[in-house]
Amino acid sequence: LEPYGRRARAFCEALWSRPAPLVVAPSADGDRSVREARGGEEPTTGGIDVPGLLDRLGWDRIDLLKVDIGRAERSVFQPSCEAWLDRVRHIAIILRDDEGRRVFFGSVEPHWREIT
């Protein structure tokens, strides 16, 4: 990211529905899954939500949120996302299964605006 200077910052955290310790582990289908760490379990990484990310960056809004988070959109786009969706102008997302599509579109559809 060095060529981008102050325009780019990297965070060693995963996007999640709330701040939480997370575990990344192999899933049954050979992919990876992410879940919140259970009591006494060593987390792999920390989770950060969109409001926390905005606060850390000192931003009011995001113009383009690019999301490629495996199947974690099931967590990120739960009802709690209602609190921040209006702070994101555009979302580019990769959805890998029908459940992810259902959760994502169910959450964002009420926020769609007609372009005139």
Side-chain angles (χ1 to χ4, degrees):
L1 297 176
E2 189 176 319
Y4 298 102
R6 296 174 50 152
R7 294 180 299 150
R9 293 183 27 201
F11 300 101
C12 295
E13 294 167 289
L15 189 60
W16 202 245
S17 60
R18 63 191 184 98
L22 303 175
V23 172
V24 180
S27 63
D29 63 4
D31 203 357
R32 291 179 294 179
S33 65
V34 178
R35 62 173 171 74
E36 291 190 20
R38 298 180 183 118
E41 189 174 29
E42 185 70 26
T44 307
T45 189
I48 187 169
D49 59 2
V50 171
L53 184 61
L54 286 164
D55 289 346
R56 187 175 300 169
L57 292 166
W59 296 351
D60 293 326
R61 305 183 53 76
I62 295 174
D63 285 329
L64 174 62
L65 178 65
K66 167 66 170 79
V67 182
D68 184 359
I69 54 176
R71 293 180 183 101
E73 65 274 349
R74 297 171 188 174
S75 172
V76 173
F77 291 96
Q78 288 192 10
S80 62
C81 74
E82 295 290 322
W84 57 262
L85 274 175
D86 287 336
R87 296 176 71 186
V88 176
R89 188 168 182 198
H90 302 283
I91 299 173
I93 187 168
I94 296 173
L95 298 166
R96 291 180 169 75
D97 60 20
D98 289 338
E99 179 64 14
R101 281 185 277 282
R102 184 190 66 72
V103 170
F104 174 74
F105 287 111
S107 293
V108 301
E109 189 173 35
H111 298 266
W112 287 354
R113 293 174 192 87
E114 189 170 331
I115 298 172
T116 56

Coordinates of all heavy atoms in Angstrom, one line a residue, residues 14-105:
A14 N -11.1 -8.5 10.9 CA -12.1 -9.0 9.9 C -13.4 -8.2 10.1 O -13.8 -7.8 11.2 CB -12.4 -10.5 10.2
L15 N -14.1 -7.9 9.0 CA -15.4 -7.2 9.1 C -16.4 -8.2 9.7 O -16.5 -9.3 9.3 CB -15.8 -6.8 7.7 CG -17.0 -5.9 7.6 CD1 -16.8 -4.6 8.4 CD2 -17.4 -5.6 6.2
W16 N -17.1 -7.7 10.7 CA -18.1 -8.5 11.4 C -19.2 -7.7 11.8 O -19.3 -6.5 11.6 CB -17.4 -9.1 12.6 CG -18.0 -10.4 13.2 CD1 -18.6 -10.5 14.4 CD2 -18.1 -11.6 12.6 NE1 -19.1 -11.7 14.6 CE2 -18.8 -12.5 13.5 CE3 -17.8 -12.2 11.3 CZ2 -19.1 -13.8 13.2 CZ3 -18.1 -13.5 11.1 CH2 -18.7 -14.3 12.0
S17 N -20.3 -8.2 12.4 CA -21.4 -7.5 12.8 C -21.2 -6.6 14.1 O -22.0 -5.7 14.3 CB -22.6 -8.4 13.1 OG -22.3 -9.4 14.1
R18 N -20.2 -6.9 14.8 CA -19.9 -6.2 16.0 C -18.4 -6.4 16.4 O -17.8 -7.4 15.9 CB -20.8 -6.6 17.2 CG -20.7 -8.0 17.6 CD -21.8 -8.5 18.5 NE -21.5 -9.8 19.0 CZ -21.0 -10.1 20.1 NH1 -20.6 -9.2 21.0 NH2 -20.8 -11.4 20.5
P19 N -17.8 -5.6 17.3 CA -16.5 -5.9 17.7 C -16.5 -7.2 18.5 O -17.3 -7.4 19.4 CB -16.1 -4.7 18.6 CG -17.1 -3.6 18.2 CD -18.3 -4.3 17.8
A20 N -15.7 -8.1 18.1 CA -15.6 -9.5 18.8 C -14.4 -10.2 18.4 O -13.8 -10.0 17.3 CB -16.9 -10.3 18.4
P21 N -13.9 -11.1 19.3 CA -12.8 -11.9 19.0 C -13.3 -13.1 18.1 O -14.4 -13.6 18.3 CB -12.3 -12.5 20.3 CG -13.5 -12.4 21.2 CD -14.3 -11.2 20.7
L22 N -12.5 -13.3 17.0 CA -13.0 -14.3 16.0 C -12.0 -15.4 15.8 O -10.8 -15.3 16.0 CB -13.2 -13.6 14.6 CG -14.2 -12.4 14.6 CD1 -14.1 -11.7 13.2 CD2 -15.6 -12.8 15.0
V23 N -12.5 -16.6 15.3 CA -11.7 -17.7 15.0 C -12.0 -18.0 13.5 O -13.1 -18.1 13.1 CB -12.1 -18.9 15.9 CG1 -11.5 -20.2 15.4 CG2 -11.8 -18.7 17.3
V24 N -10.9 -18.2 12.8 CA -10.9 -18.6 11.4 C -10.5 -20.1 11.4 O -9.4 -20.4 11.9 CB -10.0 -17.8 10.5 CG1 -10.1 -18.2 9.0 CG2 -10.4 -16.3 10.6
A25 N -11.4 -20.9 10.8 CA -11.1 -22.4 10.9 C -11.5 -23.0 9.6 O -12.4 -22.5 8.9 CB -11.8 -23.0 12.1
P26 N -10.9 -24.2 9.2 CA -11.4 -24.9 8.0 C -12.9 -25.3 8.2 O -13.3 -25.7 9.3 CB -10.5 -26.1 7.9 CG -9.3 -25.8 8.8 CD -9.8 -24.8 9.9
S27 N -13.6 -25.2 7.1 CA -15.0 -25.7 7.2 C -15.1 -27.1 6.6 O -14.2 -27.6 6.0 CB -15.9 -24.7 6.5 OG -15.6 -24.6 5.1
A28 N -16.3 -27.7 6.7 CA -16.5 -29.0 6.2 C -16.4 -29.1 4.7 O -16.0 -30.2 4.2 CB -17.9 -29.5 6.6
D29 N -16.6 -28.0 4.0 CA -16.5 -28.1 2.5 C -15.1 -27.7 2.0 O -14.9 -27.5 0.8 CB -17.5 -27.1 1.9 CG -17.3 -25.7 2.2 OD1 -16.3 -25.3 2.9 OD2 -18.2 -24.8 1.8
G30 N -14.1 -27.7 2.9 CA -12.7 -27.4 2.5 C -12.4 -25.9 2.4 O -11.2 -25.6 2.2
D31 N -13.4 -25.1 2.6 CA -13.1 -23.6 2.6 C -12.8 -23.2 4.0 O -12.4 -24.0 4.8 CB -14.4 -22.9 2.1 CG -14.2 -21.5 1.5 OD1 -13.0 -21.1 1.6 OD2 -15.1 -20.9 1.1
R32 N -12.9 -21.9 4.3 CA -12.7 -21.5 5.7 C -14.0 -20.9 6.2 O -14.8 -20.4 5.5 CB -11.6 -20.4 5.7 CG -10.2 -20.9 5.5 CD -9.3 -19.8 5.5 NE -9.5 -18.9 4.4 CZ -8.9 -17.8 4.1 NH1 -7.9 -17.5 4.9 NH2 -9.2 -17.1 3.1
S33 N -14.2 -21.0 7.5 CA -15.3 -20.4 8.2 C -14.8 -19.4 9.3 O -13.7 -19.6 9.8 CB -16.3 -21.4 8.7 OG -15.7 -22.1 9.8
V34 N -15.6 -18.4 9.6 CA -15.3 -17.5 10.6 C -16.5 -17.5 11.6 O -17.6 -17.5 11.2 CB -15.1 -16.1 10.1 CG1 -14.8 -15.1 11.2 CG2 -14.0 -16.0 9.0
R35 N -16.1 -17.5 12.9 CA -17.1 -17.5 13.9 C -16.5 -16.8 15.1 O -15.3 -16.6 15.2 CB -17.6 -18.9 14.3 CG -16.5 -19.8 14.8 CD -17.0 -21.1 15.4 NE -15.9 -22.0 15.7 CZ -15.1 -21.9 16.7 NH1 -15.3 -20.9 17.6 NH2 -14.1 -22.7 17.0
E36 N -17.4 -16.4 16.0 CA -16.9 -15.7 17.3 C -16.2 -16.8 18.1 O -16.7 -17.9 18.2 CB -18.0 -15.1 18.0 CG -18.5 -13.9 17.2 CD -19.5 -13.0 18.0 OE1 -19.5 -13.1 19.2 OE2 -20.2 -12.2 17.3
A37 N -15.1 -16.4 18.8 CA -14.4 -17.3 19.7 C -15.3 -17.6 20.9 O -16.1 -16.8 21.4 CB -13.1 -16.6 20.2
R38 N -15.2 -18.9 21.3 CA -15.9 -19.4 22.5 C -15.1 -19.1 23.7 O -13.9 -19.0 23.6 CB -16.3 -20.8 22.3 CG -17.2 -21.0 21.1 CD -17.5 -22.5 20.8 NE -18.4 -22.6 19.6 CZ -18.0 -23.3 18.6 NH1 -16.8 -24.0 18.6 NH2 -18.8 -23.4 17.5
G39 N -15.7 -19.2 24.9 CA -15.0 -18.9 26.1 C -13.7 -19.7 26.3 O -13.7 -20.9 26.1
G40 N -12.6 -19.0 26.5 CA -11.3 -19.6 26.7 C -10.6 -20.0 25.4 O -9.4 -20.4 25.4
E41 N -11.3 -19.8 24.3 CA -10.7 -20.1 23.0 C -9.8 -19.0 22.5 O -10.2 -17.8 22.6 CB -11.8 -20.4 22.0 CG -11.3 -21.0 20.7 CD -12.5 -21.4 19.8 OE1 -13.6 -20.8 19.9 OE2 -12.3 -22.3 19.0
E42 N -8.6 -19.3 22.0 CA -7.7 -18.3 21.5 C -8.2 -17.7 20.1 O -8.4 -18.5 19.2 CB -6.3 -18.9 21.3 CG -5.3 -17.9 20.9 CD -4.9 -16.9 22.0 OE1 -5.0 -17.3 23.1 OE2 -4.5 -15.8 21.6
P43 N -8.5 -16.4 20.0 CA -9.0 -15.9 18.7 C -7.9 -15.9 17.7 O -6.7 -15.7 18.0 CB -9.5 -14.5 19.1 CG -8.8 -14.2 20.4 CD -8.5 -15.4 21.1
T44 N -8.3 -16.0 16.4 CA -7.4 -15.9 15.3 C -7.2 -14.4 15.0 O -6.1 -14.0 14.6 CB -7.9 -16.6 14.1 OG1 -8.3 -17.9 14.4 CG2 -7.0 -16.6 12.9
T45 N -8.2 -13.6 15.1 CA -8.2 -12.2 14.8 C -9.3 -11.5 15.5 O -10.2 -12.2 16.2 CB -8.3 -12.0 13.2 OG1 -8.1 -10.6 12.9 CG2 -9.7 -12.4 12.7
G46 N -9.4 -10.2 15.4 CA -10.5 -9.5 16.0 C -11.5 -9.1 14.9 O -11.1 -9.0 13.7
G47 N -12.7 -8.9 15.3 CA -13.8 -8.4 14.4 C -14.0 -7.0 14.6 O -14.0 -6.5 15.7
I48 N -14.3 -6.3 13.5 CA -14.7 -4.9 13.6 C -15.9 -4.6 12.8 O -16.1 -5.2 11.7 CB -13.5 -3.9 13.1 CG1 -13.8 -2.5 13.4 CG2 -13.2 -4.2 11.7 CD1 -12.6 -1.5 13.2
D49 N -16.8 -3.8 13.3 CA -18.0 -3.5 12.5 C -17.8 -2.2 11.7 O -16.9 -1.5 11.9 CB -19.3 -3.5 13.4 CG -19.2 -2.4 14.5 OD1 -18.1 -1.7 14.6 OD2 -20.1 -2.3 15.3
V50 N -18.8 -2.0 10.8 CA -18.6 -0.8 9.9 C -18.6 0.5 10.7 O -17.8 1.4 10.5 CB -19.7 -0.8 8.8 CG1 -19.7 0.5 8.1 CG2 -19.5 -2.0 7.9
P51 N -19.5 0.7 11.7 CA -19.4 1.9 12.5 C -18.0 2.1 13.2 O -17.5 3.2 13.3 CB -20.5 1.8 13.6 CG -21.5 0.9 12.9 CD -20.7 -0.1 12.1
G52 N -17.5 1.0 13.7 CA -16.1 1.0 14.3 C -15.1 1.4 13.3 O -14.1 2.2 13.6
L53 N -15.2 0.9 12.1 CA -14.2 1.2 11.0 C -14.3 2.7 10.7 O -13.3 3.4 10.6 CB -14.5 0.4 9.8 CG -13.6 0.5 8.6 CD1 -12.1 0.1 9.0 CD2 -14.1 -0.4 7.5
L54 N -15.6 3.2 10.5 CA -15.8 4.6 10.2 C -15.2 5.5 11.4 O -14.5 6.5 11.1 CB -17.3 4.9 10.1 CG -17.9 4.4 8.7 CD1 -19.4 4.4 8.8 CD2 -17.4 5.3 7.6
D55 N -15.4 5.1 12.6 CA -14.9 5.9 13.7 C -13.4 5.9 13.7 O -12.7 6.9 13.9 CB -15.4 5.3 15.1 CG -16.8 5.6 15.3 OD1 -17.4 6.4 14.6 OD2 -17.4 4.9 16.2
R56 N -12.8 4.7 13.5 CA -11.3 4.6 13.5 C -10.7 5.5 12.4 O -9.6 6.1 12.6 CB -10.9 3.2 13.3 CG -9.4 3.1 13.5 CD -8.9 1.7 13.4 NE -9.5 0.9 14.5 CZ -9.4 -0.4 14.5 NH1 -8.7 -1.1 13.6 NH2 -10.0 -1.1 15.5
L57 N -11.4 5.6 11.2 CA -10.9 6.4 10.1 C -11.2 7.8 10.2 O -10.7 8.7 9.5 CB -11.4 5.8 8.8 CG -10.9 4.4 8.4 CD1 -11.7 3.8 7.3 CD2 -9.4 4.5 8.0
G58 N -12.2 8.2 11.1 CA -12.6 9.5 11.3 C -13.5 10.0 10.1 O -13.6 11.2 9.8
W59 N -14.2 9.0 9.5 CA -15.1 9.3 8.4 C -16.6 9.3 8.8 O -17.0 8.6 9.7 CB -14.9 8.3 7.3 CG -13.6 8.2 6.7 CD1 -12.5 9.1 6.8 CD2 -13.1 7.2 5.8 NE1 -11.5 8.6 6.1 CE2 -11.8 7.5 5.4 CE3 -13.7 6.0 5.2 CZ2 -11.1 6.7 4.5 CZ3 -13.0 5.3 4.4 CH2 -11.7 5.6 4.0
D60 N -17.4 10.1 8.1 CA -18.8 10.1 8.3 C -19.5 9.1 7.4 O -20.5 8.5 7.8 CB -19.4 11.5 8.0 CG -19.0 12.5 9.0 OD1 -18.8 12.2 10.2 OD2 -18.8 13.7 8.6
R61 N -18.9 8.9 6.2 CA -19.5 8.0 5.2 C -18.4 7.2 4.4 O -17.3 7.6 4.4 CB -20.3 8.9 4.2 CG -21.3 9.8 4.7 CD -22.0 10.6 3.7 NE -22.6 9.7 2.6 CZ -23.8 9.0 2.8 NH1 -24.4 9.0 3.9 NH2 -24.2 8.3 1.8
I62 N -18.9 6.2 3.7 CA -18.1 5.4 2.8 C -18.7 5.6 1.4 O -19.9 5.3 1.3 CB -18.0 3.9 3.2 CG1 -17.3 3.8 4.6 CG2 -17.3 3.1 2.1 CD1 -17.4 2.3 5.1
D63 N -17.9 5.9 0.5 CA -18.5 6.0 -0.9 C -18.6 4.7 -1.6 O -19.6 4.4 -2.2 CB -17.6 6.9 -1.8 CG -17.8 8.4 -1.5 OD1 -18.9 8.8 -1.1 OD2 -16.8 9.2 -1.6
L64 N -17.6 3.8 -1.4 CA -17.7 2.5 -2.0 C -17.1 1.5 -1.0 O -15.9 1.5 -0.6 CB -16.8 2.4 -3.3 CG -16.7 1.0 -3.9 CD1 -18.1 0.4 -4.3 CD2 -15.8 1.0 -5.1
L65 N -18.0 0.6 -0.5 CA -17.6 -0.5 0.4 C -17.4 -1.8 -0.5 O -18.4 -2.3 -1.0 CB -18.6 -0.7 1.5 CG -18.3 -1.8 2.5 CD1 -17.1 -1.5 3.3 CD2 -19.5 -2.0 3.4
K66 N -16.2 -2.3 -0.6 CA -16.0 -3.5 -1.4 C -15.9 -4.7 -0.4 O -15.1 -4.6 0.6 CB -14.6 -3.4 -2.1 CG -14.1 -4.7 -2.7 CD -14.9 -5.2 -3.8 CE -14.2 -6.4 -4.5 NZ -14.3 -7.7 -3.8
V67 N -16.8 -5.6 -0.6 CA -16.9 -6.7 0.4 C -16.7 -8.1 -0.3 O -17.4 -8.5 -1.2 CB -18.4 -6.7 1.0 CG1 -18.5 -7.8 2.0 CG2 -18.7 -5.4 1.6
D68 N -15.7 -8.8 0.2 CA -15.3 -10.1 -0.2 C -14.9 -10.9 1.0 O -13.8 -11.0 1.4 CB -14.2 -10.1 -1.3 CG -13.9 -11.5 -1.8 OD1 -14.5 -12.5 -1.4 OD2 -13.0 -11.6 -2.6
I69 N -15.9 -11.3 1.8 CA -15.7 -11.9 3.1 C -16.2 -13.3 3.2 O -16.7 -13.7 4.3 CB -16.3 -11.0 4.2 CG1 -17.8 -10.7 3.9 CG2 -15.6 -9.7 4.3 CD1 -18.5 -9.9 5.0
G70 N -16.1 -14.1 2.1 CA -16.5 -15.5 2.2 C -18.0 -15.5 2.5 O -18.8 -14.9 1.8
R71 N -18.4 -16.2 3.5 CA -19.8 -16.3 3.9 C -20.1 -15.5 5.1 O -21.2 -15.6 5.7 CB -20.2 -17.8 4.1 CG -20.1 -18.6 2.8 CD -20.5 -20.0 3.0 NE -20.3 -20.7 1.8 CZ -19.3 -21.5 1.5 NH1 -18.3 -21.7 2.3 NH2 -19.2 -22.1 0.3
A72 N -19.2 -14.6 5.5 CA -19.4 -13.8 6.7 C -20.5 -12.7 6.5 O -20.9 -12.0 7.4 CB -18.1 -13.2 7.2
E73 N -20.9 -12.5 5.2 CA -22.0 -11.5 5.0 C -23.3 -11.9 5.8 O -24.1 -11.0 6.2 CB -22.4 -11.3 3.5 CG -22.9 -12.5 2.9 CD -21.9 -13.5 2.3 OE1 -20.7 -13.2 2.3 OE2 -22.3 -14.6 2.0
R74 N -23.4 -13.1 6.2 CA -24.5 -13.6 7.0 C -24.5 -12.9 8.4 O -25.5 -12.6 9.0 CB -24.5 -15.1 7.2 CG -24.7 -15.8 5.9 CD -24.4 -17.3 6.1 NE -24.4 -18.0 4.9 CZ -24.1 -19.2 4.7 NH1 -23.7 -19.9 5.8 NH2 -24.1 -19.8 3.5
S75 N -23.3 -12.6 8.9 CA -23.1 -11.8 10.1 C -23.2 -10.3 9.9 O -23.9 -9.6 10.6 CB -21.8 -12.2 10.8 OG -21.6 -11.4 11.9
V76 N -22.4 -9.8 8.9 CA -22.3 -8.4 8.7 C -23.6 -7.8 8.3 O -23.9 -6.6 8.8 CB -21.2 -8.1 7.7 CG1 -21.2 -6.6 7.3 CG2 -19.8 -8.6 8.2
F77 N -24.4 -8.4 7.5 CA -25.7 -7.8 7.0 C -26.9 -8.3 7.7 O -28.0 -8.4 7.2 CB -25.8 -8.1 5.5 CG -24.7 -7.3 4.8 CD1 -23.5 -7.8 4.4 CD2 -25.0 -5.9 4.5 CE1 -22.6 -7.0 3.7 CE2 -24.0 -5.1 3.8 CZ -22.8 -5.7 3.4
Q78 N -26.8 -8.6 9.0 CA -27.9 -8.9 9.9 C -28.6 -7.6 10.2 O -28.2 -6.6 9.8 CB -27.4 -9.7 11.1 CG -27.0 -11.1 10.8 CD -26.8 -11.9 12.1 OE1 -27.2 -11.5 13.2 NE2 -26.2 -13.0 11.9
P79 N -29.8 -7.7 10.9 CA -30.6 -6.5 11.2 C -29.8 -5.4 11.8 O -30.1 -4.2 11.6 CB -31.6 -7.0 12.2 CG -31.9 -8.4 11.7 CD -30.5 -8.9 11.4
S80 N -28.7 -5.7 12.5 CA -27.9 -4.6 13.1 C -27.3 -3.6 12.1 O -26.9 -2.5 12.4 CB -26.8 -5.1 14.0 OG -25.9 -5.9 13.2
C81 N -27.2 -4.1 10.8 CA -26.6 -3.2 9.8 C -27.5 -2.0 9.5 O -27.1 -1.1 8.8 CB -26.3 -4.0 8.5 SG -27.7 -4.5 7.5
E82 N -28.8 -2.1 9.9 CA -29.7 -0.9 9.7 C -29.1 0.4 10.2 O -29.3 1.4 9.7 CB -31.0 -1.2 10.3 CG -31.8 -2.4 9.7 CD -32.3 -2.1 8.4 OE1 -32.7 -0.9 8.1 OE2 -32.3 -3.0 7.5
A83 N -28.3 0.2 11.3 CA -27.7 1.4 11.9 C -26.6 2.1 11.1 O -26.3 3.3 11.3 CB -27.1 1.0 13.3
W84 N -26.1 1.4 10.1 CA -25.0 2.0 9.3 C -25.2 2.0 7.8 O -24.5 2.7 7.1 CB -23.6 1.4 9.6 CG -23.6 -0.1 9.4 CD1 -23.7 -1.0 10.4 CD2 -23.3 -0.8 8.2 NE1 -23.5 -2.3 9.8 CE2 -23.3 -2.2 8.5 CE3 -23.1 -0.4 6.9 CZ2 -23.1 -3.1 7.5 CZ3 -22.8 -1.4 5.9 CH2 -22.8 -2.7 6.2
L85 N -26.2 1.3 7.3 CA -26.3 1.2 5.8 C -26.5 2.6 5.1 O -26.0 2.8 4.0 CB -27.5 0.3 5.4 CG -27.2 -1.2 5.3 CD1 -28.5 -2.0 5.1 CD2 -26.2 -1.5 4.3
D86 N -27.2 3.5 5.8 CA -27.3 4.8 5.2 C -26.0 5.6 5.1 O -26.0 6.7 4.5 CB -28.4 5.6 5.9 CG -29.8 5.1 5.6 OD1 -30.0 4.5 4.5 OD2 -30.7 5.3 6.4
R87 N -25.0 5.1 5.8 CA -23.7 5.8 5.7 C -22.8 5.3 4.6 O -21.6 5.7 4.5 CB -23.0 5.6 7.1 CG -23.8 6.3 8.2 CD -23.2 6.1 9.6 NE -21.9 6.8 9.7 CZ -21.1 6.7 10.7 NH1 -21.4 5.8 11.7 NH2 -20.0 7.3 10.8
V88 N -23.3 4.3 3.8 CA -22.5 3.7 2.7 C -23.3 4.0 1.4 O -24.5 3.7 1.3 CB -22.4 2.2 2.9 CG1 -21.7 1.6 1.7 CG2 -21.7 1.9 4.2
R89 N -22.6 4.7 0.5 CA -23.2 5.1 -0.7 C -23.4 3.9 -1.7 O -24.4 3.8 -2.4 CB -22.4 6.2 -1.4 CG -23.1 6.8 -2.5 CD -22.5 8.1 -2.9 NE -23.2 8.7 -4.0 CZ -22.7 9.6 -4.8 NH1 -21.5 10.1 -4.6 NH2 -23.4 10.1 -5.8
H90 N -22.3 3.1 -1.9 CA -22.3 2.0 -2.8 C -21.7 0.8 -2.2 O -20.7 0.9 -1.4 CB -21.5 2.3 -4.1 CG -22.0 3.5 -4.9 ND1 -23.1 3.5 -5.6 CD2 -21.5 4.8 -4.9 CE1 -23.3 4.7 -6.2 NE2 -22.4 5.5 -5.7
I91 N -22.2 -0.4 -2.5 CA -21.6 -1.6 -2.1 C -21.3 -2.5 -3.3 O -22.2 -2.8 -4.1 CB -22.5 -2.4 -1.1 CG1 -22.8 -1.5 0.2 CG2 -21.9 -3.7 -0.7 CD1 -23.8 -2.1 1.1
A92 N -20.1 -3.0 -3.4 CA -19.7 -4.0 -4.3 C -19.4 -5.3 -3.5 O -18.5 -5.3 -2.6 CB -18.5 -3.6 -5.1
I93 N -20.1 -6.3 -3.8 CA -20.0 -7.5 -2.9 C -20.0 -8.8 -3.8 O -20.6 -8.9 -4.8 CB -21.2 -7.6 -1.9 CG1 -21.0 -8.7 -0.9 CG2 -22.5 -7.6 -2.6 CD1 -21.9 -8.6 0.3
I94 N -19.2 -9.8 -3.3 CA -19.2 -11.1 -3.9 C -20.0 -12.0 -2.9 O -19.6 -12.1 -1.7 CB -17.7 -11.6 -4.0 CG1 -17.0 -10.7 -5.0 CG2 -17.7 -13.1 -4.4 CD1 -15.5 -11.0 -5.1
L95 N -21.0 -12.6 -3.5 CA -21.9 -13.5 -2.7 C -21.7 -14.9 -3.2 O -21.8 -15.1 -4.4 CB -23.4 -13.0 -2.8 CG -23.6 -11.6 -2.3 CD1 -25.0 -11.1 -2.7 CD2 -23.5 -11.6 -0.7
R96 N -21.5 -15.8 -2.3 CA -21.1 -17.1 -2.7 C -22.2 -18.2 -2.6 O -22.0 -19.3 -3.1 CB -19.9 -17.6 -1.8 CG -18.6 -16.8 -2.2 CD -17.5 -17.3 -1.4 NE -16.2 -16.7 -1.9 CZ -15.9 -15.5 -1.7 NH1 -16.6 -14.6 -1.1 NH2 -14.7 -15.0 -2.2
D97 N -23.3 -17.9 -2.0 CA -24.4 -18.9 -1.9 C -25.7 -18.2 -1.8 O -25.8 -17.0 -1.6 CB -24.1 -19.9 -0.8 CG -24.0 -19.3 0.6 OD1 -24.5 -18.1 0.8 OD2 -23.5 -19.9 1.5
D98 N -26.8 -19.0 -1.9 CA -28.1 -18.5 -1.8 C -28.4 -17.9 -0.4 O -29.1 -16.8 -0.4 CB -29.1 -19.6 -2.1 CG -29.1 -20.0 -3.5 OD1 -28.7 -19.2 -4.4 OD2 -29.6 -21.1 -3.8
E99 N -27.9 -18.4 0.6 CA -28.2 -17.9 2.0 C -27.6 -16.5 2.1 O -28.2 -15.6 2.6 CB -27.6 -18.8 3.1 CG -27.8 -18.3 4.5 CD -29.3 -18.1 4.9 OE1 -30.2 -18.7 4.2 OE2 -29.5 -17.5 5.9
G100 N -26.3 -16.3 1.6 CA -25.7 -15.0 1.6 C -26.5 -14.0 0.8 O -26.6 -12.8 1.2
R101 N -26.9 -14.4 -0.4 CA -27.8 -13.5 -1.2 C -29.0 -13.1 -0.5 O -29.4 -11.9 -0.5 CB -28.1 -14.2 -2.5 CG -26.9 -14.1 -3.5 CD -27.3 -14.7 -4.9 NE -27.2 -16.1 -4.9 CZ -26.1 -16.8 -5.1 NH1 -24.9 -16.2 -5.1 NH2 -26.1 -18.1 -5.1
R102 N -29.7 -14.1 0.2 CA -30.9 -13.8 0.9 C -30.7 -12.8 2.0 O -31.4 -11.8 2.1 CB -31.5 -15.1 1.4 CG -32.9 -14.9 2.1 CD -33.3 -16.1 2.9 NE -32.5 -16.4 4.0 CZ -32.5 -15.7 5.2 NH1 -33.2 -14.6 5.3 NH2 -31.7 -16.0 6.2
V103 N -29.7 -13.0 2.8 CA -29.4 -12.1 3.9 C -29.0 -10.7 3.4 O -29.5 -9.7 3.9 CB -28.2 -12.7 4.8 CG1 -27.7 -11.7 5.8 CG2 -28.7 -13.9 5.5
F104 N -28.1 -10.7 2.4 CA -27.7 -9.4 1.9 C -28.8 -8.6 1.3 O -29.1 -7.4 1.7 CB -26.5 -9.5 0.9 CG -26.1 -8.3 0.2 CD1 -25.4 -7.3 0.9 CD2 -26.5 -8.0 -1.1 CE1 -25.0 -6.1 0.3 CE2 -26.1 -6.8 -1.7 CZ -25.4 -5.9 -1.0
F105 N -29.5 -9.2 0.3 CA -30.6 -8.4 -0.3 C -31.7 -8.1 0.6 O -32.3 -7.0 0.5 CB -31.0 -9.1 -1.6 CG -30.0 -9.1 -2.7 CD1 -29.3 -10.2 -3.1 CD2 -29.7 -7.9 -3.3 CE1 -28.4 -10.1 -4.1 CE2 -28.8 -7.8 -4.4 CZ -28.1 -8.9 -4.8

